[in-house]
Amino acid sequence: MSDKLLLDCGSGGSASHRLISGLFLKHLGNPELNRLNDAAVVPLNGGRLAVSTDSFVVDPIFFPGGDIGSLAVNGTVNDVAMMGARPLYLTCGFILEEGLPLADLERIVASVAESCAKAGVVVVTGDTKVVPRGAVDKIFINTTGIGEVICDPTPSGDRARPGDAVLISGTLGDHGLAILSTRQGLSFESPVASDCAALNHLILRLLTEIPDIHVLRDPTRGGLATTLNEIAASSKVGCLIEEDAVPVRPEVAGGCSFLGLDPLYLANEGKFLCILPGDQADKALAIMRADPLGTNACRIGTMEAENPGRVILRTGLGGKRLLNMLEGEQLPRIC
């Protein structure tokens, strides 16, 4: 690593992992933190809670399909849900720049309230700080989510097994391209909107019908490719992905082609990976497709004993290539 912090250390890719393992885990590591899941599962009075924290610094703060307020709620709710938990409570801290229009702040807080109502969670405590102009870019939001774990064992990034099916709940890259196009003032023939949404209600139905789900993960920063590499490394198994099976909207594929981006590395904020025994895949897909947030769910691959810790992409031409973790910062300030 460099002796100074670089922007790509916040990408969610290889540089982020080097920073986390080389610095944060060196000082703060413990068995629960070292698992590097979306949330931690902690015991409490004979029960278990899932706890997750996140900070949101997206630019721009308003974008097609959402804003920094809905993103903060939905992102945290989803992280708690990925641990097999029912999200219940949020904390919400606002760091505000002097000069931020109060109309914008009210719009964001109203969006937080609306998103909480949809997800079925409540903000039970919070904090507000105002800093001098230039000390922060408009508004940063920090959230913590707390939920009740509803299954045992809980889904975890280290539980994937050979023979497991790899499912995705819908199309990839929508959020990343929506942010970039808004930031750069780009327009496409068909508008692109963020997929920002709370997934906890769909996850709850899925876990109720299929308790033995090995891994749940939402592919946010670093996208699908980075998330699959994290899972393969944690589980010490290989992953084979079929390129032709990966769902990408035509407008997103076209925009990525124009801009030189790969939708497999773009952030998503309303999609999740589900890895479970292969014989349960059809049942899971039926449950997912019955929900508006899972209409385009499909199977994209299989976990294998071969190539442990690696993700292999079988291309449309039948060849294979290594699908690495994101290296560098493809798009900063994405969430």
Side-chain angles (χ1 to χ4, degrees):
M1 289 183 61
S2 167
D3 60 352
K4 294 185 182 298
L5 198 64
L6 302 176
L7 189 61
D8 63 345
C9 290
S11 67
S14 297
S16 293
H17 281 260
R18 289 193 292 269
L19 176 67
I20 291 168
S21 61
L23 193 155
F24 288 100
L25 292 184
K26 181 175 72 173
H27 296 284
L28 303 175
N30 58 69
E32 186 60 40
L33 188 63
N34 293 350
R35 299 176 75 173
L36 297 178
N37 282 319
D38 285 340
V41 174
V42 296
L44 181 68
N45 295 334
R48 291 177 301 157
L49 296 179
V51 183
S52 179
T53 190
D54 209 341
S55 298
F56 297 85
V57 297
V58 66
D59 176 34
I61 59 175
F62 301 105
F63 48 84
D67 55 59
I68 193 171
S70 61
L71 184 66
V73 172
N74 294 337
T76 306
V77 163
N78 291 345
D79 282 349
V80 171
M82 295 303 139
M83 297 308 298
R86 180 186 291 108
L88 298 171
Y89 306 111
L90 295 183
T91 73
C92 203
F94 293 84
I95 302 178
L96 309 170
E97 182 186 25
E98 176 191 18
L100 176 70
L102 283 176
D104 287 352
L105 179 58
E106 182 162 9
R107 178 180 170 187
I108 290 167
V109 176
S111 180
V112 167
E114 181 182 359
S115 299
C116 284
K118 289 180 179 179
V121 298
V122 292
V123 174
V124 292
T125 189
D127 183 53
T128 303
K129 294 291 188 295
V130 179
V131 298
R133 191 184 304 267
V136 68
D137 186 5
K138 301 180 187 69
I139 176 173
F140 293 167
I141 300 177
N142 174 266
T143 54
T144 295
I146 299 173
E148 176 189 11
V149 175
I150 61 173
C151 60
D152 187 18
T154 58
S156 177
D158 58 4
R159 290 191 60 216
R161 297 292 180 264
D164 282 356
V166 181
L167 314 182
I168 189 72
S169 65
T171 56
L172 298 175
D174 301 38
H175 177 73
L177 195 64
I179 294 295
L180 178 60
S181 59
T182 305
R183 186 182 298 174
Q184 301 299 329
L186 302 174
S187 60
F188 303 104
E189 186 173 339
S190 298
V192 177
S194 170
D195 58 347
C196 183
L199 299 165
N200 55 312
H201 300 308
L202 172 53
I203 294 293
L204 178 61
R205 285 193 290 273
L206 198 58
L207 288 168
T208 300
E209 295 290 330
I210 310 175
D212 188 27
I213 293 176
H214 292 168
V215 184
L216 291 169
R217 188 70 65 86
D218 54 338
T220 52
R221 290 183 307 165
L224 176 73
T226 298
T227 303
L228 286 173
N229 271 278
E230 293 170 347
I231 295 168
S234 295
S235 298
K236 299 179 176 58
V237 295
C239 180
L240 177 64
I241 297 299
E242 304 292 341
E243 183 177 39
D244 287 347
V246 177
V248 180
R249 297 185 191 279
E251 56 269 31
V252 173
C256 286
S257 178
F258 175 74
L259 296 168
L261 300 173
D262 187 337
L264 297 181
Y265 291 95
L266 284 180
N268 312 273
E269 291 294 345
K271 305 299 188 316
F272 68 95
L273 277 164
C274 175
I275 299 177
L276 77 173
D279 60 1
Q280 296 293 307
D282 289 343
K283 182 177 181 180
L285 286 173
I287 296 168
M288 293 161 74
R289 289 169 180 166
D291 189 287
L293 295 177
T295 302
N296 295 308
C298 59
R299 179 172 181 167
I300 60 172
T302 304
M303 305 306 292
E304 300 184 325
E306 295 80 11
N307 304 302
R310 299 194 174 201
V311 181
I312 307 297
L313 182 74
R314 179 149 47 204
T315 69
L317 297 176
K320 293 181 180 179
R321 68 177 177 89
L322 191 63
L323 194 62
N324 288 313
M325 187 176 289
L326 176 66
E327 188 65 66
E329 177 61 273
Q330 188 178 38
L331 186 60
R333 299 283 302 280
I334 194 69
C335 61

